[in-house]
Amino acid sequence: MTLILGRKRGMTQVFTTEGNVIGVTIVEVGPCVVTDVRTEARNGYDAIQLGFEDVREKLLSKPVRGHFKTAGVTAKRFLREERLAAPAAFAVGDEIAVDAFAEGDLVDVIGTTKGRGFAGGIKRHGFSRGNETHGCHNVRQIGAIGACAYPGRVFKGKRMPGHFGNKRHTTKNLKVVRVDVERNLLLIAGAVPGPAGGFVQVQAAKTGIKKG
Amino acid sequence: MSSLIQTLEAEMTKDFVTALNAGDTVEVHYLIREGEKERVQLFVGTVLAIQGAGIRTAIVVRRIVQGEGVERIFPLHSPRVRDVVVTRRGKVRRAKLYFLRDRVGKKTRVTELLGDKARAAKVADATARKAHAEAQAAAKANSEEA
């Protein structure tokens, strides 16, 4: 498995040589630095911690500053761990760049979705709308939420209005259309969670890869 | 941030795209594939609308085939659109000519734009094409030298 951190930059479209149009998301990724190596002996599991994008030390708390000082790398804004099955082949300070991925690879992209605040059932769960005319007044209401004396309560997990978005989301099995090594860009077919400028993690797809 | 997208799109757009307006009569040279063979097909019609901007620019072209209206949408920057030639400039007062869909027979015609504007457009098109051809020839010569 390969992980790389970056920022979503926005969407555009590209033409294939056959003339088909593919909508792509531009993700500016890496170069990421290994800021820590977790080991079975010390931490109980194997992993590497990656850091992306330099940040002024002033913005960080003392413990975080100390963490970067022991690692001997410049302070980073965005830190994430990549869990490994075997002891890491990387050392602290190693760089991981876009070339970890190639055109045609399948990737999973993890990001934080756009926050919609307190949203109703239509936006949040895709409920259908009531009639606007013919004397109806239940236009965006959610409708019935249960039966009567039995069970006499509303079931847990009943889909209702509430806070929507601003939540970690994984979009699986997206295809890498182009890798721009010079500008550290990945062009990924399809949409990626979050706003333009939001942090994302791009990793090799966990499912969806055909065996053999 | 958006400037990054603009630079990327600028790299992918074609160097030369014919200057068009709604109401123009155009010939679209469109590459079609028949099994293994490829050939260029012409689609002649009136530009009803120009949609989108930058690399997403597309034109809606309408023509009447055997009494039946046919509309096709061509992305101008698609590699399969080889060329768009303006055969006649139209004199129109709006950007989207969807009202032509409801018209039948002689009423579907668009008045031709004549006079200085049309002549200037013709000259501009010719010079742009010439400049593009020269630039291409220069680029070719450069690549051969290298």
Side-chain angles (χ1 to χ4, degrees):
Chain A
M1 204 177 85
T2 332
L3 174 78
I4 198 162
L5 312 177
R7 266 182 197 271
K8 173 173 165 178
R9 284 301 179 211
M11 291 192 75
T12 181
Q13 66 177 37
V14 296
F15 288 100
T16 64
T17 40
E18 291 89 49
N20 297 332
V21 171
I22 310 174
V24 293
T25 310
I26 300 163
V27 183
E28 193 174 351
V29 290
C32 295
V33 177
V34 178
T35 52
D36 198 6
V37 177
R38 312 272 198 227
T39 56
E40 185 80 47
R42 190 156 59 98
N43 309 92
Y45 63 98
D46 287 306
I48 52 170
Q49 187 190 51
L50 296 178
F52 169 67
E53 201 169 271
D54 287 348
V55 65
R56 281 174 294 150
E57 290 215 340
K58 192 182 145 193
L59 299 176
L60 303 172
S61 68
K62 264 193 180 170
V64 179
R65 252 182 266 173
H67 174 65
F68 288 117
K69 204 175 172 191
T70 29
V73 295
T74 52
K76 300 288 173 188
R77 199 185 292 270
F78 187 51
L79 293 176
R80 284 295 179 270
E81 269 185 31
E82 179 189 353
R83 197 72 179 257
L84 302 168
F90 294 95
V92 172
D94 283 0
E95 276 202 356
I96 296 177
V98 221
D99 46 25
F101 292 102
E103 205 178 305
D105 285 0
L106 287 182
V107 292
D108 293 343
V109 182
I110 304 165
T112 307
T113 55
K114 285 183 185 173
R116 277 91 159 177
F118 193 100
I122 295 177
K123 187 183 287 246
R124 193 175 182 212
H125 303 295
F127 289 170
S128 47
R129 178 175 61 73
N131 247 344
E132 281 186 328
T133 54
H134 300 295
C136 301
H137 295 290
N138 59 338
V139 178
R140 294 184 71 92
Q141 289 167 12
I142 55 170
I145 56 170
C148 194
Y150 183 80
R153 63 189 171 92
V154 175
F155 289 121
K156 274 190 178 177
K158 176 73 201 145
R159 292 180 299 166
M160 285 195 190
H163 190 271
F164 180 34
N166 193 19
K167 209 176 165 189
R168 179 187 155 109
H169 180 84
T170 309
T171 308
K172 289 182 175 177
N173 301 324
L174 300 173
K175 205 175 215 169
V176 175
V177 174
R178 194 178 301 166
V179 180
D180 192 327
V181 180
E182 274 168 35
R183 283 176 292 195
N184 293 316
L185 300 179
L186 277 182
L187 269 61
I188 299 171
V192 155
F199 285 117
V200 291
Q201 305 172 51
V202 182
Q203 63 187 29
K206 285 191 168 172
T207 60
I209 296 168
K210 281 181 194 142
K211 280 171 191 157
Chain B
M1 268 166 223
S2 61
S3 68
L4 171 71
I5 293 176
Q6 279 160 9
T7 13
L8 274 179
E9 284 187 356
E11 283 165 23
M12 292 186 287
T13 45
K14 289 181 185 170
D15 304 326
F16 171 75
V17 167
T18 319
L20 291 169
N21 277 312
D24 292 352
T25 305
V26 291
E27 274 175 13
V28 181
H29 297 240
Y30 192 67
L31 198 67
I32 57 168
R33 196 155 294 150
E34 287 172 339
E36 287 296 286
K37 271 195 289 184
E38 279 186 344
R39 66 184 186 84
V40 172
Q41 193 182 50
L42 287 191
F43 189 86
V44 184
T46 317
V47 178
L48 283 198
I50 300 170
Q51 303 170 333
I55 197 168
R56 286 172 295 275
T57 321
I59 53 172
V60 181
V61 185
R62 181 181 172 87
R63 67 174 297 189
I64 308 290
V65 182
Q66 294 172 350
E68 191 65 33
V70 176
E71 272 180 33
R72 291 196 64 174
I73 301 172
F74 295 100
L76 285 186
H77 292 280
S78 164
R80 287 173 68 179
V81 174
R82 282 299 159 91
D83 198 3
V84 179
V85 180
V86 180
T87 50
R88 189 169 173 273
R89 304 229 169 233
K91 185 177 170 188
V92 291
R93 297 175 69 159
R94 54 210 72 225
K96 314 285 179 196
L97 307 178
Y98 298 131
F99 62 88
L100 290 178
R101 288 173 178 166
D102 304 328
R103 298 199 171 180
V104 194
K106 281 188 177 179
K107 278 194 171 168
T108 56
R109 291 173 305 175
V110 173
T111 332
E112 188 167 3
L113 182 75
L114 295 169
D116 288 344
K117 255 191 191 169
R119 278 192 285 273
K122 206 172 173 183
V123 172
D125 187 55
T127 44
R129 272 173 196 278
K130 203 178 159 195
H132 175 64
E134 276 170 7
Q136 265 195 334
K140 203 180 167 190
N142 265 342
S143 65
E144 271 170 16
E145 269 176 37

